[in-house]
């Protein structure tokens, strides 16, 4: 039997991190922003003014640490393909 009360997993549209409700960013009025995580989006704006390549450089070590990539360079290659699919980085 399927559990229909299971919360839908949201992905930060800036860094790709899977988010739990307590990790949502905040809008300018203090309300939750379900599109971006608290590390990327705070008080209605992005926490870091960075380029796509800077975000890839920042996130790549976390991919290695989490076991999703073997090396930082491998992680950067994966993120270069994935990040442009996220809302913040769409061309």
């Amino acid at each position: 039997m399927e559990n229909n009360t299971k919360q839908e997993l949201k992905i930060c549209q800036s860094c790709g991190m899977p988010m739990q409700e307590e990790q949502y960013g905040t809008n300018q009025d203090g309300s939750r922003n379900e599109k971006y995580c608290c590390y990327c989006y705070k008080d209605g704006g992005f926490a870091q003014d960075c380029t796509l390549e800077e975000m890839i450089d920042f996130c790549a070590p976390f991919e290695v640490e989490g076991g999703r990539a073997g090396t930082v360079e491998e992680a950067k290659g994966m993120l270069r393909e994935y990040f442009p699919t996220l809302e913040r980085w769409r061309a």
Side-chain angles (χ1 to χ4, degrees):
M1 184 195 247
E2 193 173 319
N3 183 355
N4 291 328
T5 61
K6 185 177 179 182
Q7 183 181 356
E8 179 184 338
L9 183 65
K10 299 208 183 271
I11 304 294
C12 175
Q13 293 299 301
S14 176
C15 71
M17 181 181 87
M19 299 183 294
Q20 305 257 332
E21 203 171 313
E22 61 273 8
Q23 294 168 316
Y24 292 164
T26 54
N27 295 313
Q28 193 170 14
D29 65 2
S31 63
R32 289 187 185 159
N33 184 298
E34 297 182 18
K35 195 180 293 186
Y36 301 110
C37 76
C38 58
Y39 306 110
C40 290
Y41 201 77
K42 188 174 184 178
D43 301 326
F46 288 109
Q48 307 90 13
D49 181 21
C50 62
T51 65
L52 172 60
E53 199 58 36
E54 289 168 336
M55 183 62 88
I56 289 169
D57 289 344
F58 178 77
C59 292
F62 295 110
E63 296 299 306
V64 175
E65 185 180 302
R68 293 174 293 279
T71 66
V72 169
E73 287 308 313
E74 179 186 351
K76 286 181 181 183
M78 292 174 4
L79 294 174
R80 280 188 190 104
E81 289 184 25
Y82 177 56
F83 278 5
T85 69
L86 300 175
E87 193 168 313
R88 181 177 183 184
W89 309 112
R90 284 190 197 134

